[in-house]
Amino acid sequence: MELSVVMPCLNEAETVETCVRKTIGFFEDSGIDGEVVIADNGSTDGSQQLARDAGARVVPVVDKGYGNALMGGIRSARGRYVAMGDADDSYDFTTLGPFLDELRDGADLVMGNRFKGGIADGAMPPLHRYLGNPVLSFVGRLFFGSKIGDFHCGLRAFDKEAIMRLGLQTGGMEFASEMVVKATLQGYDIREVPTTLSPDGRTRAPHLNTWRDGWRHLRFLMLYSPRWLFLIPGLVFMMLGLVAGVALSTGPVTVGDIAFDVDTLVGASAALVIGFQAVLFALLTKVYAMQEGFLPHDRRVQKVIDWWSLERGLLLGGLLAAAGLAGLVASLLHWRVNSFGELDPRHSLRIVVPAATALVMSFQAIFASLFVSILGIRRRQHPPLTDPAEEAAGVVDAAAHKVARDEAEKAARAEKAAETDAKTDVNTDVNTDVNTDAKTDAKTGVKTDAKVTAAKAGATASEDGDEDGR
């Protein structure tokens, strides 16, 4: 089968039959070997039977949610290619031809673009049309380098095998973003087709919740991009904190009528610490996501991990700790000069704050190094004793030995069976000879006895005749 069209369904009795009939009509008009799969998420309005009567195959999906319903339908699809779209009649399934053409041409994922194809009046709320979808699509392009203009278009088609390899996991509306993000990170061939969005045919409210589902999309985009979630903000904070701290550690800084002093120095120290911690979180998140398969392997990150060993991390932390302790000693000497009395904060804080900052960063570096090493235990523990080629050769040799052993056992059994047959033949011959001799002897005995009897009878007759003659 070439194409399966999967539609998630939850109480779509008003429109599901129309969507199914349109899709089947498209199959017949285009000569496509296809099917319609309704991934039912627990409808209570009879949508299932309406879909079956229209010619669809209904697949029940127990786990609730847009993503769960779609994944249930995709797994059950029998076609090489799969198209997905809502069962609310907002998308025209008779326009799937360009999607299928792109898939036949080698595309892995073909996205619809509603902003290029047209959005009918009343088909999309203004908040979604002018803010939600454009902003989230921009964030997706910025974070992941994608060229897709409409991240959340519900009408799309893809190669089933390629999409199944992505290991999609989200169960809600963010499933739409997850598919595009993971396909982009894996370097898939992704293309766009202009798509028209029409007002849906339902009288009830849609399942989509503007703020909840919008936040879930944004949250997913951030969590799958440690670079934008941690690294870039962390570097910005670090640079601002470092520049401001160095400038203020020697004295006040005046910009126009505004004077920056030790209070700003404390803030700069906090920014430096927060930024450093965010950079470390970016590294830790990336390492964990790479090992668990959430994100693809990154050679640049791998180089950093290989360079930043536990020993180097401990050394860096030790140097920062030494600098911090030196600063604290300097502050104690400064206090001693003042006879351990009251100090001017504008002078003392310029020594204490950098020292405390260095101490805090030293422990962060040490703890991060330990944690990275813990994450790497599973990768480096118990290395294989042989490479795959040697292991395969061993398997082949073992199989050859087994075949040779089986042949030897078979030959031994055949030889034993031959010996047994030979003994049986000898016994049979002996028994036959014995029986034959016995039979011969018996016959001979009978004949001899008969002759003796006859002779005796003859002699008796002669004697009787002689007596009669006499």
Side-chain angles (χ1 to χ4, degrees), residues 287-307:
V287 171
Y288 174 76
M290 286 168 50
Q291 291 190 359
E292 294 299 323
F294 298 147
L295 295 176
H297 187 78
D298 192 325
R299 289 180 296 177
R300 294 172 297 180
V301 175
Q302 190 62 51
K303 288 181 180 179
V304 174
I305 297 171
D306 294 338
W307 176 85

Side-chain angles (χ1 to χ4, degrees), residues 239-251 264-265 268-269 272 350 354:
M239 291 301 299
L240 291 176
L242 184 61
V243 171
V246 171
L248 293 169
S249 61
T250 58
T264 308
L265 177 62
S269 172
L272 181 60
R350 284 190 172 86

Side-chain angles (χ1 to χ4, degrees), residues 237-288:
F237 270 82
M238 280 187 67
M239 291 301 299
L240 291 176
L242 184 61
V243 171
V246 171
L248 293 169
S249 61
T250 58
V253 176
T254 302
V255 179
D257 297 333
I258 302 176
F260 298 96
D261 207 338
V262 290
D263 294 338
T264 308
L265 177 62
V266 174
S269 172
L272 181 60
V273 171
I274 292 172
F276 185 64
Q277 187 170 20
V279 171
L280 294 178
F281 266 70
L283 178 63
L284 298 175
T285 304
K286 192 72 173 180
V287 171
Y288 174 76

Side-chain angles (χ1 to χ4, degrees), residues 317-332 351 354-356 358-359 362-363:
L319 293 175
L320 288 172
L325 291 174
L328 292 179
V329 171
S331 66
L332 288 174
I351 303 175
L359 279 175
S362 71
F363 281 98

Side-chain angles (χ1 to χ4, degrees), residues 444-458:
T444 304
V446 170
K447 290 179 179 180
T448 302
D449 292 339
K451 289 179 180 180
V452 172
T453 303
K456 289 182 177 180

Side-chain angles (χ1 to χ4, degrees), residues 329-344 347 351:
V329 171
S331 66
L332 288 174
L333 294 176
H334 176 69
W335 190 22
R336 180 184 178 186
V337 169
N338 290 273
S339 301
F340 298 104
E342 185 176 356
L343 299 174
D344 185 355
H347 299 292
I351 303 175

Side-chain angles (χ1 to χ4, degrees), residues 63-284:
D63 295 334
K64 299 297 183 181
Y66 176 77
N68 289 326
L70 279 171
M71 278 309 302
I74 293 170
R75 291 192 188 96
S76 301
R78 298 167 181 166
R80 175 186 177 185
Y81 304 122
V82 176
M84 54 176 264
D86 298 336
D88 59 2
D89 201 25
S90 58
Y91 294 108
D92 187 358
F93 290 98
T94 63
T95 63
L96 287 174
F99 290 83
L100 189 57
D101 292 339
E102 295 290 348
L103 290 173
R104 290 168 176 169
D105 190 47
D108 296 307
L109 173 61
V110 184
M111 295 288 300
N113 190 319
R114 298 166 293 183
F115 298 103
K116 291 183 178 180
I119 301 174
D121 293 338
M124 184 184 294
L127 185 62
H128 298 181
R129 182 172 183 175
Y130 300 109
L131 180 63
N133 281 302
V135 169
L136 291 174
S137 296
F138 170 76
V139 171
R141 292 192 297 270
L142 176 66
F143 283 12
F144 305 100
S146 173
K147 298 180 180 179
I148 298 301
D150 188 1
F151 255 59
H152 308 108
C153 181
L155 187 63
R156 58 187 71 180
F158 43 84
D159 184 293
K160 178 183 175 180
E161 184 179 350
I163 292 301
M164 292 302 293
R165 286 197 303 267
L166 295 178
L168 304 178
Q169 298 178 2
T170 53
M173 291 291 181
E174 66 273 24
F175 177 86
S177 295
E178 183 186 15
M179 181 182 292
V180 180
V181 168
K182 286 190 172 181
T184 302
L185 293 174
Q186 292 294 336
Y188 281 11
D189 183 356
I190 307 176
R191 307 178 190 180
E192 276 191 317
V193 171
T195 300
T196 301
L197 181 68
S198 304
D200 63 62
R202 301 171 301 193
T203 57
R204 63 167 178 78
H207 298 299
L208 180 68
N209 183 291
T210 299
W211 298 107
R212 180 197 63 195
D213 293 319
W215 163 244
R216 293 179 70 167
H217 279 287
L218 180 60
R219 181 184 64 182
F220 174 84
L221 295 175
M222 290 190 301
L223 293 179
Y224 262 75
S225 180
R227 179 178 61 178
W228 284 95
L229 181 62
F230 296 119
L231 182 61
I232 293 178
L235 291 175
V236 171
F237 270 82
M238 280 187 67
M239 291 301 299
L240 291 176
L242 184 61
V243 171
V246 171
L248 293 169
S249 61
T250 58
V253 176
T254 302
V255 179
D257 297 333
I258 302 176
F260 298 96
D261 207 338
V262 290
D263 294 338
T264 308
L265 177 62
V266 174
S269 172
L272 181 60
V273 171
I274 292 172
F276 185 64
Q277 187 170 20
V279 171
L280 294 178
F281 266 70
L283 178 63
L284 298 175

